[in-house]
Amino acid sequence: MNRPLRHIAIFCGLLVLALLLRANWLQHVDREELAQHERNARVRFERFASPRGDIIVGGKAITGSKETGSTDYQFRRTFKDGPMYAPVTGYASQAQGTSLLERTYDSILSGQDDRFAFRHAKDVLMGQPRRGGDVITTIDAKAQKAAYKGLTDLGARGAVVALDPRTGKVLSLVSTPSYDPGVFAGISFKESDRFKALLDDKSKPLANRPLRETFPPGSTFKILTAAAALEHGVVTDVDARTDAVSPYPLPLSTNRIGSEAGDAVCDKASMKTAMQYSCNNVFLDAAAELGEDRMRETAEKFGFNEDVYSDEFGDMLATKSLYPEKLDKPGTALTGMGQGSLTSTPMQMAMVTAALANDGKLMQPYIVEELRGPDLSTLEKNEPKEMSQAVSAETAKKVQEMMEHTAKEGSAQRALIDGVTVGGKTGTAQRGVNVRDEVPYGWFVSYGKKDDGRSVAVAVFIDPTDMDISRSDISGGRLGAPIAKSVMQAVLGD
């Protein structure tokens, strides 16, 4: 054999060897992954070959399944109050796959979990169809409805998160504008077009704003700044006058920052008065004196720079809220009033509020109470878990004192409820480089407590981009407080 033919033969032999190696790799190493891959048609057929289990809120199913008459996709998913619960359920579409709880617990809902093997073998012997398990959520139906109605009545892009401070249970998780997962649950071209239209919609109805989007938290972050100042001894008496002048000269800058309440009220005000009137100077000065390391340390104890959910929560993982590193002095001062390069999800601000209401103890948020098998047996049950003691109980109670004073005498009065101890804080967050040209965000955080021990913490976020409202009317107290009040009333009762 001449040299060129020998080279060609060797090259062809190597190609055949590579092909054999790859075929064996796919059959023995990647077999399981490919068998379960979402784009595998057989997986999709299997997912919709029988009725899915249900996602449960308040003892009632908010999902269902109906027969299609197709031999491939025999059942399709249905949703009750789809837009209201979409940030919780996600979607289960024959064409688009799954998201959120539908994705995270797909093996349970579709009945393909390994723990169902014996049950399915028994069903096969008895000629019974395969059945999926159920996902029992922590969501409070009344709170979810109150939050959704509040945002939709405003016509705002926004989010609401409500937590039980004692346990971390997610009582409400709402995002607007929303979408109905049922309108593209099938595989028709028309339904695919509907999904594409949602993707292309500038108002981003598919976005999960409570968990997946971050924004500057504005003045709601002042409750964390106050906690940091008290915890580290920068402030010892919340009623004592401070040295923070108004307007406040930003460190290493010619900029001077004022407050809506005016210099006469805010100049050298106490921290309690500064919280009441949302005076920027006191919190800018506190953050500047604390420095970036102590501010970041406190923020991280409340959950910043960390995953809110552990990996076991799958597609419910929240975007990290960030207290940035390597801040200069003006940048550190600006975080004291919730501005600068600081970002937060609505979930994170609900966590901060809940921890302070819970005497400084931060509980791990969770949205699934229990997983049940087709025979209603308990497969898993979540229990409350402590994330951290963010600040001491003494510090938390001093912040509670200020927040409750702000609700009674300050900018959070619209959240007051008879017979309920309410603490609150408003926030208006500037965005963009040219703040005068950008519509600000509205924020409101609050907690409510009853004498019987029940409590709830709420964070309301409002993006008024689509609203017909003047810039001067945009404030967390005016827009967000009534929503927070209705959610607290729904949880705590009349």
Side-chain angles (χ1 to χ4, degrees):
M1 182 182 294
N2 60 35
R3 186 173 184 144
L5 287 176
R6 189 184 307 115
H7 287 170
I8 292 172
I10 292 172
F11 179 70
C12 290
L14 291 173
L15 288 178
V16 171
L17 179 61
L19 184 61
L20 290 171
L21 288 172
R22 181 58 178 162
N24 278 275
W25 183 273
L26 290 173
Q27 290 178 23
H28 299 288
V29 179
D30 289 342
R31 178 180 59 184
E32 195 65 32
E33 180 182 348
L34 292 171
Q36 300 299 324
H37 198 283
E38 189 164 293
R39 292 300 177 185
N40 185 334
R42 291 183 179 180
V43 172
R44 297 204 303 272
F45 293 160
E46 187 72 10
R47 177 180 291 141
F48 297 102
S50 59
R52 285 172 75 80
D54 285 315
I55 296 173
I56 309 293
V57 170
K60 297 180 180 179
I62 58 171
T63 58
S65 298
K66 70 176 182 179
E67 293 189 60
T68 64
S70 168
T71 56
D72 292 331
Y73 297 98
Q74 298 176 44
F75 291 85
R76 65 175 285 159
R77 198 59 153 158
T78 61
F79 296 86
K80 182 181 179 181
D81 295 320
M84 185 167 77
Y85 287 110
V88 177
T89 63
Y91 53 79
S93 167
Q94 295 169 353
Q96 309 304 331
T98 55
S99 69
L100 301 177
L101 287 184
E102 292 277 17
R103 182 187 183 98
T104 302
Y105 297 103
D106 180 56
S107 65
I108 297 290
L109 294 165
S110 64
Q112 298 180 61
D113 192 275
D114 291 341
R115 288 169 287 187
F116 299 164
F118 177 77
R119 161 65 61 178
H120 293 331
K122 183 178 177 181
D123 288 341
V124 169
L125 290 173
M126 298 182 65
Q128 298 293 327
R130 187 185 67 208
R131 291 175 291 168
D134 295 332
V135 176
I136 317 301
T137 73
T138 60
I139 296 294
D140 182 305
K142 290 181 179 179
Q144 188 79 358
K145 185 176 181 179
Y148 185 71
K149 185 178 187 301
L151 286 177
T152 52
D153 284 353
L154 279 180
R157 303 185 194 186
V160 176
V161 178
L163 301 174
D164 183 333
R166 302 164 302 171
T167 63
K169 290 181 180 180
V170 180
L171 304 176
S172 178
L173 192 76
V174 168
S175 181
T176 60
S178 191
Y179 66 97
D180 185 352
V183 303
F184 58 88
I187 200 168
S188 70
F189 289 115
K190 182 185 290 186
E191 288 171 299
S192 294
D193 288 343
R194 290 172 187 161
F195 184 75
K196 186 177 185 304
L198 290 168
L199 282 174
D200 295 340
D201 192 325
K202 291 182 180 179
S203 66
K204 301 198 295 184
L206 291 171
N208 192 313
R209 290 177 175 85
L211 297 179
R212 298 290 172 76
E213 297 200 345
T214 59
F215 314 90
S219 292
T220 57
F221 192 79
K222 290 173 181 175
I223 62 175
L224 193 150
T225 304
L230 288 163
E231 189 76 356
H232 291 284
V234 169
V235 171
T236 55
D237 184 353
V238 298
D239 293 303
R241 286 176 62 82
T242 65
D243 296 326
V245 296
S246 182
Y248 185 78
L250 199 63
L252 307 177
S253 171
T254 57
N255 290 335
R256 299 176 71 84
I257 298 176
S259 303
E260 287 289 329
D263 298 339
V265 172
C266 293
D267 189 59
K268 298 184 179 180
S270 69
M271 183 158 275
K272 181 187 281 188
T273 299
M275 184 81 77
Q276 176 185 357
Y277 293 102
S278 202
C279 297
N280 293 324
N281 54 308
V282 173
F283 296 96
L284 287 162
D285 190 60
E289 188 170 345
L290 280 161
E292 65 166 316
D293 291 338
R294 290 192 290 182
M295 280 292 292
R296 187 183 304 104
E297 174 195 334
T298 307
E300 288 179 349
K301 286 183 177 179
F302 279 99
F304 280 80
N305 299 337
E306 292 184 29
D307 290 332
V308 172
Y309 294 106
S310 60
D311 290 341
E312 67 189 84
F313 286 87
D315 206 38
M316 296 303 292
L317 187 69
T319 299
K320 286 184 181 180
S321 299
L322 298 178
Y323 191 96
E325 296 188 7
K326 299 180 180 178
L327 288 173
D328 56 15
K329 289 185 178 180
T332 301
L334 285 170
T335 65
M337 56 180 277
Q339 293 288 169
S341 49
L342 179 73
T343 60
S344 175
T345 60
M347 170 62 80
Q348 178 61 69
M349 288 313 301
M351 290 167 60
V352 172
T353 309
L356 290 170
N358 194 35
D359 294 342
K361 184 181 294 184
L362 177 64
M363 303 302 292
Q364 170 79 54
Y366 65 101
I367 200 167
V368 173
E369 183 88 59
E370 184 181 346
L371 301 179
R372 290 181 186 167
D375 57 356
L376 302 184
S377 62
T378 298
L379 300 174
E380 294 180 26
K381 191 173 179 65
N382 279 325
E383 299 292 342
K385 299 175 184 176
E386 182 179 339
M387 284 184 69
S388 71
Q389 184 71 39
V391 291
S392 67
E394 181 183 4
T395 291
K397 287 176 180 176
K398 287 181 180 179
V399 179
Q400 290 174 28
E401 176 189 338
M402 291 188 285
M403 292 180 70
E404 289 164 19
H405 180 70
T406 301
K408 290 176 183 177
E409 307 291 342
S411 55
Q413 290 183 37
R414 285 183 172 90
L416 286 174
I417 303 170
D418 290 341
V420 177
T421 300
V422 174
K425 182 68 190 80
T426 61
T428 302
Q430 306 298 332
R431 56 173 167 176
V433 178
N434 299 314
V435 295
R436 293 181 181 178
D437 299 329
E438 297 281 353
V439 180
Y441 299 123
W443 284 86
F444 189 81
V445 296
S446 64
Y447 62 81
K449 296 182 178 183
K450 295 205 76 172
D451 292 340
D452 60 9
R454 289 181 296 152
S455 61
V456 58
V458 184
V460 179
F461 166 77
I462 295 169
D463 177 354
T465 299
D466 300 326
M467 296 174 62
D468 183 14
I469 187 172
S470 67
R471 185 184 182 89
S472 60
D473 287 333
I474 298 171
S475 72
R478 184 176 287 109
L479 301 177
I483 298 174
K485 177 179 179 178
S486 66
V487 173
M488 291 190 292
Q489 285 176 315
V491 174
L492 301 176
D494 297 331

